[in-house]
Amino acid sequence: MRPILMKGHERPLTFLKYNKDGDLLFSCAKDHTPTVWYADNGERLGTYRGHNGAVWCCDVSRDSARLITGSADQTVKLWDVQTGKPLYTFNFGSPARSVDFAVGDKLAVITTDPFMDLSSAIHVKRIARDPEDQVAESVLVLKGVQGRINRAVWGPLNRTIISAGEDAVVRIWDSETGKLLKESDKEAGHKKTITSLCKAADSSHFLTGSLDKSAKLWDTRTLTLIKTYVTERPVNAVTMSPLLDHVVLGGGQDASAVTTTDHRAGKFEAKFYDKLLLEEIGGVKGHFGPINALAFNPDGKSFSSGGEDGYVRLHHFDQDYFHIKV
């Protein structure tokens, strides 16, 4: 399986996202410039210029017409995917960490970091079809969580919002009223910061990755813990195959500790686990720094990883992959 090496970012990768059709891959990095690539051959299609800080997260509408990005420059921007033009800017008083379009693309959930005297918050914005009609006001603002909220996504049918972050607790909120519905069990839950969260294709379950060197699979409706995947190093990124029962975890030590330990070149790997049996089924090595982002193509036939080394590696699976026996 020869990876395609995509070099377009000058700083560490933070996030990867495929569009619904699986023909475009969007990448975010600390270099201020989200980039879009062809998902088959890894060719760079274009960039989205306008942010003034690290870009932490992005999402793309179902029809691949709109891109939303959240940045450390305290803004969230809406872009025209095709032209690369910024259409609208939401301004916040603190860095925007996570963005996620609702089903139907009429709403977006945005999380903002604690900053100065502001606490972290989850904002719900209405997204207008025509950028001329876009307004800045939030439909709902959720507060009261301690520490950074690293990820917030929509639950099934947009009825709930699922959030997770520094306090290691997964929460489910009512997206209409803002009421806190469920919190993950302290005993069963993560012990350290939750870095990443990925929903299954049908939203029935989701996966969280944490610095406690584990990933956990949860039932979306009941917030029951289904499975725990244990690894040797902190998990920065998680994703799930939409096709097979595979879970992929990426990570490595913190960037600041990399030089102090013996890490042979390209030792950082994305590890594949059997979703049900919890067995490790293989790994894909190659990055020269911790893996910060992972994404599966919606067709399940390829995946990409983004590293602290500034590279995106795109892997198209060979036939053997589809016949792995555990």
Side-chain angles (χ1 to χ4, degrees):
M1 203 168 70
R2 286 184 66 102
I4 297 170
L5 229 65
M6 292 143 66
K7 182 72 177 150
H9 290 290
E10 296 160 13
R11 300 281 318 280
L13 268 285
T14 53
F15 200 77
L16 291 168
K17 180 83 187 181
Y18 284 91
N19 65 342
K20 191 81 183 117
D21 302 328
D23 61 341
L24 299 176
L25 174 63
F26 296 85
S27 61
C28 302
K30 292 185 181 173
D31 63 5
H32 312 184
T33 311
T35 300
V36 60
W37 317 74
Y38 282 116
D40 55 352
N41 59 7
E43 199 180 312
R44 183 160 72 161
L45 228 172
T47 54
Y48 299 89
R49 297 188 176 274
H51 275 302
N52 214 350
V55 181
W56 294 120
C57 194
C58 72
D59 196 11
V60 57
S61 62
R62 198 189 168 100
D63 60 3
S64 303
R66 297 277 178 271
L67 178 71
I68 186 169
T69 54
S71 168
D73 66 7
Q74 309 191 352
T75 69
V76 166
K77 287 183 187 290
L78 287 169
W79 310 80
D80 183 310
V81 168
Q82 205 172 347
T83 63
K85 278 215 274 289
L87 299 174
Y88 191 83
T89 301
F90 295 102
N91 291 296
F92 298 94
S94 61
R97 178 69 47 177
S98 161
V99 291
D100 192 52
F101 277 128
V103 174
D105 300 320
K106 290 192 170 73
L107 295 165
V109 61
I110 298 164
T111 70
T112 52
D113 287 354
F115 188 71
M116 314 284 264
D117 51 356
L118 288 172
S119 64
S120 58
I122 301 171
H123 310 257
V124 176
K125 301 283 189 191
R126 196 162 268 122
I127 305 294
R129 176 156 290 176
D130 184 344
E132 301 280 303
D133 306 331
Q134 185 62 53
V135 293
E137 285 72 50
S138 299
V139 189
L140 189 66
V141 180
L142 309 174
K143 289 193 170 144
V145 176
Q146 294 305 308
R148 210 159 67 196
I149 304 165
N150 284 327
R151 197 86 179 96
V153 298
W154 294 92
L157 303 174
N158 304 339
R159 286 188 184 146
T160 53
I161 291 166
I162 305 161
S163 73
E166 271 185 345
D167 65 359
V169 180
V170 180
R171 293 182 176 82
I172 296 184
W173 312 79
D174 185 308
S175 60
E176 283 281 313
T177 63
K179 198 164 139 266
L180 178 60
L181 301 175
K182 291 187 177 67
E183 283 192 351
S184 59
D185 183 59
K186 278 274 190 286
E187 287 304 303
H190 285 291
K191 301 291 178 272
K192 288 185 181 168
T193 297
I194 297 172
T195 54
S196 47
L197 190 156
C198 162
K199 284 190 299 187
D202 65 357
S203 292
S204 66
H205 53 286
F206 64 92
L207 184 65
T208 53
S210 163
L211 298 182
D212 66 10
K213 303 181 184 171
S214 76
K216 290 178 185 284
L217 195 66
W218 308 85
D219 181 292
T220 307
R221 210 164 41 91
T222 60
L223 200 51
T224 319
L225 179 65
I226 308 172
K227 302 278 183 192
T228 299
Y229 310 87
V230 182
T231 74
E232 309 85 72
R233 41 184 83 118
V235 179
N236 298 340
V238 295
T239 187
M240 279 185 279
S241 167
L243 196 61
L244 303 171
D245 283 325
H246 293 169
V247 160
V248 189
L249 312 183
Q253 335 92 302
D254 195 26
S256 58
V258 170
T259 50
T260 59
T261 52
D262 163 43
H263 249 277
R264 288 181 292 294
K267 177 85 183 349
F268 295 89
E269 60 181 335
K271 286 194 178 280
F272 282 69
Y273 288 80
D274 186 286
K275 193 193 262 184
L276 307 168
L277 304 174
L278 311 184
E279 315 231 339
E280 195 179 320
I281 46 186
V284 179
K285 291 193 176 70
H287 279 287
F288 288 85
I291 294 173
N292 295 337
L294 286 168
F296 242 102
N297 191 308
D299 68 5
K301 292 178 184 168
S302 61
F303 88 105
S304 53
S305 55
E308 192 73 25
D309 55 8
Y311 283 97
V312 178
R313 298 173 74 94
L314 174 63
H315 308 265
H316 289 280
F317 296 117
D318 39 32
Q319 262 336 96
D320 306 351
Y321 166 80
F322 301 99
H323 308 294
I324 295 173
K325 297 276 183 288
V326 179

